[in-house]
Amino acid sequence: MAAMQEYMAVYLTLTAVVLILARQVENHIYAGQKLTGNVPWGMERQEAKNMVAAGGIFVLLASVSACRIAVGNDYWVYRENFKLIYAGRDVASEPGFNFIVYWMQKLWGYDNYLPIFGLFSVVTAAFMVKALYDQSEWFFGSLFLLMTSGYYFSSLNSVRYYLVVAMVMYATKYLLREEYLKFILWICFAALFHKSVLLVIPAYLILYWLSKRKLRPWILAAGGALIVSMMLFQDFYRKIIFLFYPFYEESAYDTGSISIVNVGMGLCCLVLCFLCYGVWKDRNPHIRFYVWVNAAGLVINLFGSFIPEVTRVGNYFKVVQVFLIPALLYHLPEGKWKKLLTAGTAAAFLIYFAFFLKSAYDVDIRILPYRTWIFD
């Protein structure tokens, strides 16, 4: 028990330190400018302070991830795949990932896997921190959710997938600025590492279009029809899925189950959206877009049991909660209601974080115990 607490203390300490640094970041003005594309020349004192604090956060997150060894249930699986890639064998991973893995071993030597994990760790952390810095008007709140909802710690697993999730977070700002080509190109680039991300292009574009329009009866009818089709035509959807991922059919990932936790988080977020309806109903198109994306994630997690690893698909939509929830709370008028909702949200995520860390020893997660090659 003492050893378990010692290992868990690494993650708890990291979370506490980066949140202390995040308190120094006041970027609501800068984030608003980045989302509109109207960033003035020059740098004010507060922005310089923001960048130093955000840089420190990046260094800490990247270091803990890059210095790990044997952390994650697929760590050694990736190592074996690295060797297969170098040998020119067929692997399931995408060409961008394979290219980098191959040339990293050309540079550092065959089966020298630590620099490869280190590179992907640094890049993933960079995209996460940059996305929060550019898009979140309440940086502290967004970082708090990134840590306590487990997105950062989950990136110690599933290297390719969470790299791509971080890239989606980053690329979303281009969609919100209506720079559609940049958004599409970034997602296409991400697909070189995990092609499942391609679904984000049509989904996000449609959801952004819907977020700019009033809720009409035909929109509700179309949404209802989509949900019904997900229940009635599952075989049709599965045929499309297995055209891209044939090895998932009847595999250990094709379980036909859903995550009650993800459904619950989506529902609770939707409730918070209704409680803060005045914040986004007639203004702030960015928040309206996040509301739509969260709702889409809820539909996928609730009715997408036929999708192999539906949680991963749903996370492309659920991840916007790190922007949505802080934005809702930040824009609430000052008063008891804002304090109550903020405290309640913080408490809920801290409870979730506690259960997340408790499950981190499970064989299908294994991000605890934390080990580092520095002292190994």
Side-chain angles (χ1 to χ4, degrees), residues 51-345:
M51 294 181 68
V52 170
I57 291 167
F58 159 69
V59 169
L60 288 170
L61 296 182
S63 297
V64 169
S65 181
C67 293
R68 77 190 190 278
I69 186 171
V71 175
N73 70 320
D74 57 0
Y75 189 93
W76 297 120
V77 174
Y78 266 105
R79 185 227 180 153
E80 291 302 315
N81 284 339
F82 295 164
K83 294 192 288 186
L84 292 175
I85 290 168
Y86 189 80
R89 303 282 293 278
D90 288 334
V91 292
S93 49
E94 285 74 7
F97 180 81
N98 297 345
F99 178 84
I100 291 176
V101 168
Y102 178 83
W103 283 104
M104 285 289 287
Q105 291 184 88
K106 275 285 189 180
L107 179 64
W108 296 100
Y110 172 69
D111 197 26
N112 196 349
Y113 54 89
L114 291 178
I116 303 174
F117 279 111
L119 175 64
F120 285 109
S121 297
V122 169
V123 175
T124 301
F127 275 119
M128 285 182 172
V129 175
K130 181 61 172 171
L132 299 191
Y133 190 76
D134 286 350
Q135 292 173 233
S136 177
E137 295 176 285
W138 186 22
F139 183 86
F140 174 86
S142 289
L143 185 64
F144 176 83
L145 295 192
L146 185 76
M147 303 301 288
T148 58
S149 62
Y151 282 111
Y152 165 74
F153 295 108
S154 294
S155 72
L156 305 183
N157 257 328
S158 305
V159 173
R160 291 183 301 126
Y161 172 71
Y162 279 99
L163 168 64
V164 169
V165 169
M167 294 172 74
V168 170
M169 293 170 63
Y170 172 79
T172 300
K173 70 178 180 183
Y174 295 113
L175 176 60
L176 297 176
R177 282 158 38 175
E178 300 188 353
E179 297 178 9
Y180 301 115
L181 181 58
K182 288 184 179 179
F183 170 73
I184 292 171
L185 288 176
W186 268 107
I187 300 302
C188 288
F189 177 64
L192 294 175
F193 300 90
H194 209 293
K195 58 181 175 283
S196 66
V197 75
L198 288 173
L199 71 90
V200 166
I201 294 177
Y204 271 40
L205 288 173
I206 292 170
L207 293 168
Y208 183 70
W209 182 83
L210 289 172
S211 72
K212 295 173 70 66
R213 281 151 182 82
K214 291 185 178 180
L215 193 61
R216 304 291 187 184
W218 71 267
I219 295 177
L220 293 174
L226 176 61
I227 292 173
V228 171
S229 74
M230 292 176 70
M231 294 187 288
L232 297 181
F233 304 112
Q234 295 183 359
D235 290 340
F236 170 75
Y237 288 122
R238 284 172 63 84
K239 287 181 180 178
I240 296 175
I241 293 169
F242 296 138
L243 286 176
F244 295 92
Y245 286 97
F247 48 85
Y248 273 140
E249 188 172 12
E250 297 183 359
S251 69
Y253 304 107
D254 192 14
T255 61
S257 61
I258 61 174
S259 169
I260 299 300
V261 173
N262 284 344
V263 171
M265 292 178 74
L267 281 171
C268 290
C269 186
L270 200 60
V271 170
L272 182 64
C273 291
F274 284 114
L275 293 176
C276 303
Y277 184 63
V279 168
W280 57 273
K281 66 171 183 175
D282 295 320
R283 57 189 177 92
N284 206 319
H286 306 144
I287 298 181
R288 289 202 302 273
F289 169 70
Y290 296 144
V291 172
W292 274 98
V293 176
N294 177 73
L298 176 59
V299 169
I300 291 170
N301 280 313
L302 189 57
F303 298 102
S305 61
F306 60 90
I307 304 173
E309 289 204 284
V310 63
T311 297
R312 289 194 174 189
V313 177
N315 277 345
Y316 287 131
F317 302 85
K318 177 173 165 283
V319 73
V320 301
Q321 291 178 7
V322 303
F323 302 117
L324 171 59
I325 294 174
L328 292 172
L329 298 174
Y330 179 81
H331 285 285
L332 279 176
E334 295 295 334
K336 292 183 179 179
W337 184 237
K338 179 174 183 174
K339 292 179 180 178
L340 179 63
L341 285 181
T342 302
T345 302

Side-chain angles (χ1 to χ4, degrees), residues 24-33 46-47 50 131-140 330:
Q24 309 305 312
V25 179
E26 298 177 10
N27 71 321
H28 57 280
I29 296 175
Y30 172 78
Q33 293 169 342
Q46 182 58 54
E47 187 178 344
N50 291 346
L132 299 191
Y133 190 76
D134 286 350
Q135 292 173 233
S136 177
E137 295 176 285
W138 186 22
F139 183 86
F140 174 86
Y330 179 81

Side-chain angles (χ1 to χ4, degrees), residues 43-50:
M43 181 182 298
E44 297 180 355
R45 181 178 179 180
Q46 182 58 54
E47 187 178 344
K49 184 179 178 181
N50 291 346

